[in-house]
Structure formats: C-alpha cells, structure tokens
Amino acid sequence: MASLVQKLGKAVKQVAKNKGSNWWYTPHMAAASRAITERIPLVDFFLDVRDARIPLSSECEQLRNFLPSSRHIIVLNKIDLANRSLTKEWMSFFKESKCIAFGVNSHNKENIKEFLNFLQARVRELKKMDLSGHTITLMLVGIPNVGKSALANALHQVGRISAAEKGKLKHAVVSPHPGETKNITSFKIASHPNIYVLDTPGVLPPEVTDDSVCSKLALTGAIRDCVVGEIELAQYFLSILSLSDEYKKWGKLSFVEHGQASTNQGASILASSELGKKKDRQYPTDHTQDFIVNNVRRTLFEALSSFAGNVENEEDLTHLTKVEFKFLQRVFHLPVESDEENYGRVATKLLNLYRTGRLGHYTLDHVPKSAWCNSSEMI
C-alpha cells in the first residue's frame, strides 16, 4: 500500500503547489483563514472540529500553536463513521494531553443535546469569572468537510427548540463536497444567556507534506476526489479493508437478489426472473439499496477469505483489489463495457458506501503512545 499512498500524496501535493488551482488555498480561502485568525482572540470559545476517523490528520493548522485551554474544545465529529473503541482511546489521549474533547454525531439529536448541555456548562463556568452578561460566541474552526455546517445546523435546531423560540430556522448550507461554505455565518443556539455559534469556511494549509496525511484527507472527503482520482481512492479503501478485521463480520451474510435470499451464488448475481426484471426497473443503479449493500459485503468477504496471496505484500494486494473491482461490477449490475469505464463507476459507488458507513467503521489515525503536550495550565 506504500506506493499507492505515495502516489496519492504526490497528486495532492502537486495541486497544492499549483497556485492556479481553483479551490486549493484560493484567495478566498486565504482571506477566510485571516478572518478566522483575527476572530479567535475575540470569541469566547473556539470549537476545533475534526473528523473522528482522522483526529490528527484533520487538525487545523491555524490551531496547532494553541496550548490546551478551557476555551479550546476539540470536537470529534462523525463518530458514527469511526471505530468506536478507537474513538474511546482518542478521547483518553486528549484527556491525558490536558485537552478538552467531545465526540459528536451531528445527525443524532440526543447526542447533540448532550453536546449543547456540555457547552452550556462551559459557559456557566466562564460566567462565574465574567459577570458582564455579554452574549457568548462560539466559533467552529476546521478543515473542509469535517461537518462544521451540519454541526451548526444541529446545534441551532436543538437550541431553538429547547429555548421554545418560534420563527423560521436559518440553516447553513451542507454539502458532501469540500469547500462549499464561503462566509462566516452566525446561528443562535441558546438563550439566557444568549449563545451564538459562528460557522466558518473550511481552510486547508498552503501545503501538506506528509503523503499519509494527504491520502487520509482525500479518502475521507476533505480534498476533492478529482485531485487524486476515484479509482485510486477506492483502491486505497480496499487496501485498508484488506488489512483490517472489519470484513470478517460479513461471513454469515447470504447473497440476496431483490430482497430474497438466494442459495445459488452465481444465480443471485447473474440470473434474473420476471420478478427480478421488474424490480431491476425500480432499482436499476441504486447501490444504496440494502440488498445491494449486503451483496457488496458478501462479495468482499469471499474475495478476501479465498485470497491465497499475502495482503502484506504490495504486489499481491494490488492483484486482490483488481479482482475485487471485477466482482463488484456484477454486484452493482453495471452494463458490459470496458473495464476502465466500469471501474470508475465501481469506485464512485464504493466510496459513497464507505463514506456513509455502510462498509464498516474505520479510524485511520493511530493513537500516539504518549500525550503530545504536558501543559496543565488552563487559560
């Protein structure tokens, strides 16, 4: 996998060096970076939003020089997509590093309520020291596509309901594509005292030098797929899957054809009945259907379980991913065309299933053996 990571990293770094890029550290992103830096000393709390799958790789460069502080809160977003046990290890790591951290799933209302209660408790602590009664401002800061806008919306919606406030809700624009938020926008999330959260544009550093970090950012969607290519990213995911134990959970799954379990593996993929043809017209290309996701899992399990090579060997691993691509063409019911064209479609569907958690939960960053800072001073 090392050569693939190097290839992905090279592609990312090449775009970063290209000052003519229409999205990497554009004048707009540079201006947003300056605006965020100017506001950090003025806000009451800044929420350092990261992707729970890559807690270190998704660290915002602008915040690296900030010591642990009671006003600096690390928010591990998308915990529903990360490995649960490793998320716990990361939370312990941040605690040992004297950093305040909280794990969130922006789509889980109960979790957001817990997070809002946590923030309000921090605000009450601040109020004990500051009796001015001014409005409290929180600012979300992070790289693209870590879910800042989704988190702002969730806090705003839950906060407004809790405060029993009426009126049309203002929403941040949420997109699966990085770099969609263009301006700093304010959302009210609580009353008595009034608390507002600022949603900011995602900002990448002018350059990223580590190939592994580049690859992880690309796979999790912080960098646009076109930079490195969807096929290469899908191969990278399949390599990660092959080296994990995640696929072993799928051993008991059966192949399913349109919601009906099949005892004939070949027939379940290739054959069709009149009922099957009718349902094919209903779900011709929808790879998110449960029966297709089930078949993807089973196909990957069988490919990995029957593989006679060594997944630790890069050449063997490359061969395995090619075999998996061929099998997945049939599972996704792609028309018989050139492999190259079909591979692109397979990659698109596979990446979508990975990024939505349908193919398991992966934490790509390893927890360091020791805390990165030992400062116990809380500012």
Side-chain angles (χ1 to χ4, degrees), residues 260-298:
Q260 299 296 321
S262 172
T263 56
N264 186 324
Q265 175 182 333
S268 69
I269 297 178
L270 301 174
S272 61
S273 62
E274 288 304 314
L275 177 61
K277 289 178 181 178
K278 181 178 179 181
K279 292 197 173 184
D280 272 342
R281 289 194 293 271
Q282 296 174 359
Y283 313 104
T285 58
D286 188 358
H287 63 281
T288 66
Q289 290 292 307
D290 288 343
F291 76 91
I292 293 183
V293 176
N294 181 88
N295 289 346
V296 170
R297 293 169 177 166
R298 181 66 193 182

Side-chain angles (χ1 to χ4, degrees), residues 80-96:
D80 52 310
L81 301 180
N83 180 287
R84 184 175 297 180
S85 62
L86 289 177
T87 296
K88 290 181 180 178
E89 289 185 29
W90 271 108
M91 296 300 289
S92 297
F93 168 78
F94 286 126
K95 185 176 181 180
E96 292 172 9

Side-chain angles (χ1 to χ4, degrees), residues 225-290:
D225 293 344
C226 60
V227 171
V228 295
E230 289 184 321
I231 292 177
E232 288 77 6
L233 281 176
Q235 290 173 333
Y236 180 42
F237 164 66
L238 288 174
S239 297
I240 291 170
L241 173 66
S242 300
L243 294 167
S244 75
D245 292 328
E246 195 73 18
Y247 73 93
K248 295 178 182 178
K249 302 175 183 177
W250 305 331
K252 295 182 180 180
L253 296 175
S254 300
F255 275 96
V256 179
E257 183 70 16
H258 309 296
Q260 299 296 321
S262 172
T263 56
N264 186 324
Q265 175 182 333
S268 69
I269 297 178
L270 301 174
S272 61
S273 62
E274 288 304 314
L275 177 61
K277 289 178 181 178
K278 181 178 179 181
K279 292 197 173 184
D280 272 342
R281 289 194 293 271
Q282 296 174 359
Y283 313 104
T285 58
D286 188 358
H287 63 281
T288 66
Q289 290 292 307
D290 288 343

Side-chain angles (χ1 to χ4, degrees), residues 53 78-83 237 246 249-250 293 297 349-362:
R53 296 168 294 180
K78 305 185 181 183
I79 57 171
D80 52 310
L81 301 180
N83 180 287
F237 164 66
E246 195 73 18
K249 302 175 183 177
W250 305 331
V293 176
R297 293 169 177 166
K349 295 174 186 292
L350 196 63
L351 288 173
N352 174 264
L353 293 180
Y354 156 70
R355 289 169 177 166
T356 53
R358 305 295 296 279
L359 295 180
H361 304 87
Y362 306 84

